[in-house]
Amino acid sequence: MSLPRKPDGGGTTGRAIILKANVFPVTGLADSHAFQYDIAITPELPAQKSRRVFQQAEVLIKKLNPNAWFVYDGAKNAFSMADIGDQTFNIVFESDVDMELPPLSEQQSSGGRGGRGGRGGDRGGFRGGRGFDRGGRGGRGGGRGGSAPAPLSTFSMTMKTSTILTESTCVGPSEKVKFVIRKTATYNLHELLLYTQGKAAETENVLHATTALSVVLRHIPSMLFTPVGSNFFTPEGRSPIAGGLEVWRGYHQSIRAMLAGHLGINVDVASTVFRKGEISVIDFILESMGGRHVDDIKRYSIASLSKILRAVSVVTTHRGDMKQRFRIGKVSKDSANSMKFMNKENKKISVTEYFKTELGVRLQYPDLPLVLKPNGKTAFPIEVLKIIPGQRFKDRMSGQQTADVIRATVQKPADRRAQIENAVKNSLKYEKNPYMDSFGLQVGTEMMDVRARVLPSPKVVFRNNQSANGSDGSWNLRNLKLINSPPLNSFGFIFYVRMSNEEATAIRNVILEKWSKAGMNIKNFKAPVLVTNPNVPANIGGSLKTMFENCKSQTKERCQLVICILDKDAKGLYEQIKRIALLKAGLITQCMLSKHVMRPEEIKDQYIVNVALKANIKIGGTTNTVDRPLQSKLTMYLGADVTHPAPGSMSPSIAAVVASTDPQCTLYNTYVRAQEHRVEIIQALESIMDSALMDFRKKNHGKNPEQVIFFRDGVATGQFKEVKEVEVKALKVSLAKVKSKAPLTFIVVQKRHHIRLFPIDKNEDRSGNCLPGTVIDQDITHPTDFNFILQSHAGLQGMSRPTIYNVIYDEIKMSSDQCQQLCYNLCFLSERATRTISMVAPAYRAHLAAYYARMFIDQEDGSDNMSSKSGGGVPSKIGFTQVAVGIENTMYYM
């Protein structure tokens, strides 16, 4: 695939600086051939078991060639510098190897409510009337902690020497497999070296050779720890958080071809969330649901229990060493008391009776629901099961869990840099890695010095051409007014809080006074007020309908905005209000928490003005512009993003596109579409662009844009080709329909990466991060393709993440300076805050719109679709409701 080449030797605008990046130079690589092998294991095994098989195969390969070092990706591919041809082995391996969780330190386990204690005793599960065995032990207690984890210390990266196992030498249960290794390809590493020096093209050979080196890097960590893509994690230093979860930490490693003329290794700290392991399923349920006693489980719906237990891997505790491991399919409506089956005497008995008569075991909780294996035929009481450790949590987290993760992982830039450098020197041990040595792969132990520039900041312009200086990434609205605000006449306040009408009216008066001073064009200071009880579900829809009618009655105009004051812990209420208002009533709402406005005399200007910014955007206003033209020609700026449902959900993916209609890039129309489950490519982009062009002409006296700049969020590097072939083509087809020859530039905006920038020589902001406007187009960027790294925002806490901009289609032909400055200027136009943002405003708004639209998915809790992921039937179709006519193209999500 051909991507646009760099237009020049790099930008020159701005102040030149040097900084550190978490990229370590590759100083050596074998100038020879590497071989790829196909791995076939019969029967097929999951990655964890396949790696154990491969370790056994390595011992046998070494007997053929003592100098052969093989690396394995855990699936079908292995790589080596040795040519051993095709080989077949019969291998015995230990099938059940328990992960040993290191104990939590006092620091890690403190700060939260303790979990319930484990339960021992004789446990059992049943299948079709067959008997239970005895033995086992209960799970451990746990709880959520509030403190950050202890730093990862020196964990061993040394592979233990394997010996050939037989069925008699295996400690636990064993399995026997057929292992076939077959040579499939040869790659020339010399061509990769030429490519990094700009002397060769990015061929298939180059891509495959890069993949091979990535597997080399990950081989030892993947064998010793829990791999997730290019990351690997260890339970050492883990931190408990709310809901039966814990944060594990580890490292990221990936290989990069760079403009510097050599390869680099991107090393970063990483963290992710796992389910707590080695605790009983009962404890896990209680921690997940916030319960305190086993009887609480009886109150939970089967749907809610299925949601937290679906696909969770568990192990039985009732058969001693003869353990059964399986993934939970679903939760049964039956309990041990109610589920009955025919025993071997052809007598119908309950699970509880079977335990008592056949096993002499009295179940402690016979009224709790059973869980089923995915086949739906085998059931187990939950008290006989515990959670297998090392299971990554992939569902969406609650607000509390997200906050816990942030507290557990936040690091100052200097601390993060020190940890990464220490890892490279003392933990990852590149210089003592025989697999890397076999490929001649040598890595420097110092972060690279990188050339960068700090771009000039535009001034932020408000009403009457007054401006603020945004060079430090933020500005103050004191004595400044919104640049444009439509007349706000037909609107009202609903208080979902217990208070009197007089108290609510006093709050309304103060809010409107402060909004007016901020520049909102308030035409009705006597807007209607309604106080209602949020605990009555009917009151939510009823109150919105009443307010709509009150506004229309008072002003003879359609209601423009409803301000909703919510009590504490209002997420559920917030989503109900938004769904009813946007999908049914066609109302734009602005919510705020009562704790910020309960005392009128104490309402803070900063808070209420920030709310005013959002409300003003929703009704079509503009907060600010910048003091320089973004482009000399009439330009349409588009942003697009696709958000996907959590793993296990059968909900559709949501595509959102925003399109500007004014030269200042402050007014947008919004287009949201549901599409196929977990499909990243925007399927309806052509029709969306048709609508966007029509709406653009309406606002610009019938003119089409003279040029189009499209910012696409959420696309991985491996998807560039498909995006270019499908989405760029859709845009070009739409432009051709209106006979437009407007040039198109398509830029992919990437936030999901591990490049981090560390300031030196005091070129830092107050948080210790690089200065806003720091841009890199040298050294660590792509050797030939047009891309750059921009850190446009000031840090608040922890480590800031820069954004990578990749130009994958380019007809406008901007220079490096023009493209970089445009992107930086667009980061001053979020309009909902007085700060620069981390990505261009069109992509930022599209991201918000896509994320917001998840509330419009029917059956999002998955309760009616759980069986599809749990061994049941075909999933029912999940609907998506569009925003009501009249407000569908507004910026209601801001």
Side-chain angles (χ1 to χ4, degrees), residues 750-751 753 755-757 789-791 800-804:
Q750 290 181 311
K751 289 290 289 182
H753 60 83
I755 293 294
R756 298 294 183 269
L757 309 178
I789 303 167
L790 175 63
Q791 188 155 307
S800 293
R801 184 194 315 232
T803 298
I804 302 178

Side-chain angles (χ1 to χ4, degrees), residues 519-774:
M520 286 194 73
N521 191 4
I522 307 296
K523 295 297 185 182
N524 179 11
F525 285 87
K526 300 294 183 182
V529 170
L530 177 63
V531 179
T532 188
N533 182 359
N535 295 322
V536 180
N539 286 357
I540 299 170
S543 61
L544 290 168
K545 181 179 180 182
T546 299
M547 183 54 65
F548 179 86
E549 294 170 348
N550 289 349
C551 292
K552 191 171 184 179
S553 174
Q554 185 190 58
T555 63
K556 311 304 179 187
E557 299 174 5
R558 177 184 172 85
C559 180
Q560 297 170 270
L561 179 70
V562 176
I563 298 99
C564 301
I565 314 298
L566 315 183
D567 206 351
K568 61 183 178 180
D569 192 25
K571 182 181 179 183
L573 176 60
Y574 173 86
E575 293 188 353
Q576 289 182 65
I577 290 171
K578 292 296 183 180
R579 285 180 63 89
I580 294 171
L582 293 172
L583 306 184
K584 297 180 180 179
L587 287 171
I588 294 175
T589 57
Q590 178 61 56
C591 296
M592 59 182 85
L593 289 174
S594 60
K595 66 180 181 180
H596 297 298
V597 298
M598 282 300 286
R599 294 183 176 83
E601 68 280 1
E602 297 179 7
I603 295 177
K604 294 181 179 179
D605 288 348
Q606 182 177 357
Y607 170 78
I608 214 65
V609 168
N610 281 339
V611 177
L613 303 184
K614 299 175 183 179
N616 188 56
I617 298 169
K618 291 176 180 179
I619 62 174
T622 301
T623 302
N624 64 274
T625 59
V626 292
D627 68 340
R628 58 193 68 176
L630 296 171
Q631 294 283 288
S632 59
K633 296 181 178 181
L634 183 61
T635 305
M636 175 190 279
Y637 302 90
L638 297 103
D641 191 19
V642 177
T643 186
H644 301 291
S649 169
M650 294 308 294
S651 300
S653 293
I654 305 296
V657 178
V658 302
S660 69
T661 58
D662 68 319
Q664 293 77 29
C665 198
T666 61
L667 301 176
Y668 296 79
N669 284 329
T670 306
Y671 313 90
V672 177
R673 302 287 187 271
Q675 60 183 40
E676 290 180 34
H677 176 74
R678 301 200 72 80
V679 171
E680 179 60 41
I681 300 300
I682 301 176
Q683 297 173 318
L685 187 55
E686 183 182 330
S687 67
I688 289 173
M689 188 62 175
D690 292 344
S691 299
L693 288 168
M694 181 177 65
D695 292 336
F696 188 92
R697 292 192 295 273
K698 289 178 182 177
K699 297 288 181 68
N700 289 278
H701 311 291
K703 295 180 180 179
N704 279 316
E706 296 175 30
Q707 58 185 18
V708 176
I709 302 177
F710 194 102
F711 293 99
R712 178 65 156 92
D713 187 21
V715 174
T717 304
Q719 298 171 307
F720 285 2
K721 182 176 186 292
E722 187 178 9
V723 167
K724 186 175 180 180
E725 291 174 348
V726 179
E727 295 187 5
V728 172
K729 180 181 177 181
L731 297 173
K732 297 296 289 183
V733 168
S734 180
L735 287 165
K737 288 180 184 177
V738 295
K739 297 180 171 56
S740 171
K741 295 183 180 180
L744 166 68
T745 289
F746 194 110
I747 302 174
V748 172
V749 181
Q750 290 181 311
K751 289 290 289 182
R752 292 185 178 180
H753 60 83
H754 280 271
I755 293 294
R756 298 294 183 269
L757 309 178
F758 300 93
I760 57 177
D761 300 328
K762 298 183 179 180
N763 288 300
E764 61 185 45
D765 63 15
R766 286 177 291 183
S767 69
N769 283 285
C770 288
L771 294 169
T774 297

Side-chain angles (χ1 to χ4, degrees), residues 95-146:
S95 57
D96 292 342
V97 177
D98 293 326
M99 176 184 290
E100 294 184 6
L101 291 180
L104 290 173
S105 68
E106 183 177 345
Q107 176 191 9
Q108 294 160 325
S109 60
S110 64
R113 176 179 63 82
R116 301 176 61 259
R119 276 164 297 278
D122 300 326
R123 306 289 193 246
F126 99 95
R127 173 178 179 139
R130 295 177 184 172
F132 297 86
D133 293 321
R134 302 182 184 181
R137 62 183 180 85
R140 295 188 318 179
R144 65 169 276 246

Side-chain angles (χ1 to χ4, degrees), residues 15 26 37 78 146 166 170 378 399 428 439 444 454 467 554 573-574 583 598 626 678 706 717 760 770 852-853 863 894:
R15 178 170 60 89
V26 171
Y37 294 82
T166 64
C170 287
T378 311
L428 300 176
F439 282 77
V454 180
S467 63
Q554 185 190 58
L573 176 60
Y574 173 86
L583 306 184
M598 282 300 286
V626 292
R678 301 200 72 80
E706 296 175 30
T717 304
I760 57 177
C770 288
Y852 202 90
S863 59
M894 293 292 284

